[in-house]
Amino acid sequence: MTSTKPTEVESFLIHEYVMLPLLIKVVESNLAKLKAERRPLQELYIGVTNVMIDKINADLTEVRKSLRELNIKVWEDKSKNGAGNAIHYRYACRGYEHELALIREQAKAELGVRLGKYAQKMEDAAKNITDK
């Protein structure tokens, strides 16, 4: 008998599918603020931020591809969003629908950690270029 629950890998991909677009929104919002300011090194910050958005989008493309191969569909449950302290999603896995709720404060904290990880990757890549 096949389980109706998603596997650990499937759950990870579903979570990534939900979190990566939220992270892109955060980074794009910061990019808009950067573009509105006039200060030294602004073009560098804008360039690095655009590269970060490209990297997040590439990761999201891989997640979408994996979910498509697994025949898993994920969508925002707009009927439940707007009220309360959670963002609600639904997903279909092996013919069954399930719900995923993200607590807003936990999502914000996770987005901060993820942003730091992407920034670290950018820094590591820059170090590799300068070390050569």
Side-chain angles (χ1 to χ4, degrees):
M1 180 178 205
T2 304
S3 173
T4 63
K5 288 181 128 183
T7 66
E8 191 173 324
V9 169
E10 291 167 339
S11 293
F12 172 78
L13 289 169
I14 292 165
H15 191 74
E16 289 295 288
Y17 182 81
V18 168
M19 293 302 292
L20 290 173
L22 295 174
L23 185 58
I24 290 169
K25 284 181 184 176
V26 168
V27 176
E28 286 177 340
S29 173
N30 287 329
L31 178 61
K33 290 175 187 171
L34 273 175
K35 288 180 177 179
E37 297 175 1
R38 294 283 172 232
R39 56 185 189 167
L41 300 175
Q42 178 183 9
E43 291 305 314
L44 174 64
Y45 299 143
I46 290 171
V48 169
T49 303
N50 281 322
V51 171
M52 185 181 291
I53 290 170
D54 290 345
K55 175 63 179 138
I56 298 167
N57 271 316
D59 291 348
L60 181 56
T61 298
E62 288 299 313
V63 168
R64 284 181 176 143
K65 179 182 172 189
S66 296
L67 287 173
R68 192 171 33 256
E69 289 170 358
L70 293 166
N71 199 29
I72 297 173
K73 298 188 180 359
V74 183
W75 64 96
E76 188 174 350
D77 188 352
K78 295 184 185 221
S79 68
K80 291 186 177 182
N81 287 344
N85 65 344
I87 307 167
H88 297 269
Y89 294 86
R90 301 214 42 89
Y91 60 94
C93 179
R94 287 183 282 288
Y96 293 91
E97 276 193 27
H98 303 273
E99 183 176 329
L100 169 67
L102 295 175
I103 305 300
R104 291 180 196 276
E105 291 305 314
Q106 289 176 332
K108 281 183 183 179
E110 183 178 337
L111 289 171
V113 170
R114 285 172 176 259
L115 186 58
K117 287 179 180 178
Y118 275 98
Q120 185 62 53
K121 287 179 187 178
M122 301 284 298
E123 183 179 335
D124 293 346
K127 284 180 184 175
N128 288 338
I129 291 170
T130 58
D131 289 346
K132 292 183 179 180

